[in-house]
Amino acid sequence: RPRRCNLANILDTIALERAYIARMIDLLDEQLDILRDPARDPDYHLLREIARYFCHYPTAIHYPFVDTLFEYLAELEDDLKPQVGEMKRRHDQHSLLVDEVYALLDGVCSGHMIPRDRLLKEATAYVALHRDAYDAHQHRAVRTCDRTSFR
């Protein structure tokens, strides 16, 4: 079980990371709005770099912090235990979907003809999955942390 001082640091780190991640999702969404307009072209290279970020950073850095927090919270509240497993499955789902989005964008940036509607469908699904998971995690973690002192 992590020490309390480490949990306070984890909470601070997660909050900071979520602000950065939310900004990246907003940038992705802004570019998808442009992609929805057939008369305009988004910055495909920017989209690819955003997708590259989501292919690597969450799995390597962010998810381990979130997993540690929720595993600790599951020790405090038994009803969270099934949600920890579900959260890890969602992380895997995020990784698979963003890998697909990245592959499509890499194809576009390499000069391959990728159907615009396919790219839009996959990228929009990723944004929706990310926002749904964020809202669910945030709500549950905040509610549980409000009842628990980590400092």
Side-chain angles (χ1 to χ4, degrees):
R1 179 190 227 171
R3 292 178 297 154
R4 289 191 183 279
C5 62
N6 289 343
L7 285 172
N9 292 340
I10 287 171
L11 284 170
D12 292 343
T13 300
I14 290 171
L16 184 60
E17 287 179 352
R18 291 206 181 234
Y20 292 133
I21 289 170
R23 181 62 186 132
M24 295 294 281
I25 288 291
D26 289 344
L27 283 171
L28 178 57
D29 220 6
E30 289 169 13
Q31 290 296 308
L32 293 179
D33 283 342
I34 296 169
L35 185 64
R36 288 181 183 91
D37 181 351
R40 298 172 64 200
D41 284 322
D43 184 336
Y44 287 108
H45 293 278
L46 175 61
L47 281 167
R48 181 179 62 178
E49 291 310 308
I50 293 170
R52 183 191 320 259
Y53 168 86
F54 282 113
C55 284
H56 302 289
Y57 183 82
T59 302
I61 307 296
H62 183 68
Y63 294 158
F65 283 116
V66 174
D67 291 347
T68 298
L69 173 64
F70 274 84
E71 287 166 3
Y72 179 78
L73 295 177
E75 290 178 21
L76 301 176
E77 291 191 16
D78 286 338
D79 66 318
L80 273 177
K81 287 179 183 170
Q83 291 181 29
V84 171
E86 176 59 27
M87 180 188 60
K88 288 181 180 184
R89 283 188 292 281
R90 279 190 183 195
H91 289 169
D92 292 342
Q93 189 179 12
H94 285 210
S95 295
L96 291 173
L97 188 51
V98 80
D99 286 349
E100 175 66 19
V101 171
Y102 177 79
L104 292 171
L105 287 163
D106 195 47
V108 170
C109 291
S110 299
H112 298 284
M113 297 298 296
I114 305 294
R116 193 176 185 115
D117 60 335
R118 179 172 176 215
L119 174 57
L120 186 58
K121 177 184 172 200
E122 297 297 328
T124 300
Y126 178 75
V127 168
L129 180 67
H130 189 280
R131 290 188 192 222
D132 289 346
Y134 174 82
D135 290 343
H137 294 166
Q138 188 75 4
H139 173 74
R140 188 57 187 245
V142 167
R143 203 177 80 196
T144 304
C145 290
D146 282 347
R147 294 192 304 270
T148 308
S149 173
F150 292 108
R151 307 237 189 262

